[in-house]
Amino acid sequence: MERPPCVSIFLVLCVFIQSSANGQSPGLEPVGRRSRVVETKEALQETETRFLLFKEERDKGCQIRLNHPDTLEQCGFNSSLPLVMIIHGWSVDGFLENWIWQMVAALKSQLAQTVNVGLADWLTLAYHHYTMAVRNTRLVGQEVAALIQWLEESAQFSRSKVHLIGYSLGAHVSGFAGSYMGGKHKIGRITGLDAAGPLFEGSSPSDRLSPDDANFVDAIHTFTREHMGLSVGIKQPIAHYDFYPNGGYFQPGCHFLELYKHITKHGLYAITQTIKCSHERSVHLFIDSLLHPSRQSTAYQCGDMGSFSQGLCMSCQKGRCNTMGYHIRQERQGKKHKRLFLVTRPQSPFKVYHYQFKIQFINQLKKPAEPTFTMTLLGTKEENQKITITLDEEITSNKTYSFLITLDVDIGELIMIKFKWENGAVWTNVWNTVQTIIPWSQAPLYSGLVVKTIKVKAGETQQRFLHTINLRKLNCSLLLDTLFLHDFLAHSKSSASDSQ
Ligand SMILES: *[C@@H]1O[C@H](CO)[C@@H](O)[C@H](O)[C@H]1NC(C)=O
Ligand SMILES: *[C@@H]1O[C@H](CO)[C@@H](O)[C@H](O)[C@H]1NC(C)=O
Ligand SMILES: *[C@@H]1O[C@H](CO)[C@@H](O)[C@H](O)[C@H]1NC(C)=O
């Protein structure tokens, strides 16, 4: 779909920020949405929202109309199959965004089980001042609920087969739809893709998407970086599983520096693309999960991104990790939100392989060693060249350093790790060390900087590797290897006890 270059986006964003900064809820009605539940069914004969169904991958959609059963047949609705319905967000230009067609195509072409693919087109209600669009989300939620209720009555369709995928404001529309359904049973699943933050952050669960709205709710947060106290995407957890790729603040490849690259690809439209980049990344991560069934991203439960970056959260025990995107494992344990973290590549396929490293050094140098070195990992499938590591602090003895490493490719089982120190301080010491060693080959047995133990845990396979140097067996030639060749063989794979 062609769109005019949208240069007014800056202006629009300013309005967006201003109007939301004025106070918590100029747009939100005080009435709890649950108080108005079933009235929708009788009242609604026509909907403002256009509901489209897609028969083919490259189809522009066929409109189904509430209370017109013939349209279901015309549009090829099959009530024995699930219904996946896409719900877009706030519109700044009155056009459907391109990702919608990409998602339709992916849902139509990539799934083993055929599904009905639909779109709730609420552009006429979304192409407004932000606060107005926010106010309209409830109405659209009602209309979506009315459609599902009508499908139940007229086509014996079960609401448990409904999966709503809402982006930005559409995520909250999905939540409202779920809660307006009423009755004992909920709809099957809601996926919130970077659910909108302004006017929703901090509000009560009934005023935004929440885990109460469906049997299973998952959310991907991609643009929660604050600007003047507000973030485009909601920061707080709103689902059973909340995914925070790269911490959720901002996404790799979305910096203004990348603008030139985007301009060659999208023309002037790149300006809009760059601004929306992190927000819309949630959508592309989801589409990616459909397009690359064999490259599913795993995310790990963790307190925050800081701990995750130290590699402290590589556990999959007791449901602590899950797959991000369409193929998520739909299990719920307790009422608590689970916050999951992962690193991604800047473009599709987004998957990386996560490794936790825990290293203990013995440093017999007179002073702490520089915390910067490179590692090369050799696996059964591939070798990964030179990853530069900078630890938070200088290296001293007997301290365990924990950090996270991510690789773009699957190197298979880890066979060997090579370390290399390239900074001057260690180098000058090496010669001193060597000189020290040679005259006293008996004792001391070691000197300089030596890796004492190394533990590696691979997140994706949950395999653990451990290597410990036996200091008593450490002889000169091994020591020289370690220091001089800067190579270190960490072959011995074992199932070490802990790694948390
Ligand atoms: C509906 O889907 C079911 C299950 O895939 C299939 O057996 C059936 O033929 C479909 N009905 C129509 C009318 O296409
Ligand atoms: C490190 O541990 C070894 C024994 O494991 C001990 O002999 C040595 O004194 C310790 N070094 C420091 C600096 O604590
Ligand atoms: C020292 O270590 C090397 C390599 O591990 C080994 O080949 C050599 O036999 C060892 N020498 C002694 C004296 O233990």
Side-chain angles (χ1 to χ4, degrees), residues 76-81 114:
F77 181 74
N78 185 336
S79 62
S80 53
L81 300 176
T114 317

Side-chain angles (χ1 to χ4, degrees), residues 364 397-398 446 452 471:
Q364 295 289 320
S397 266
N398 293 357
Y446 58 94
K452 183 178 167 194
L471 285 176

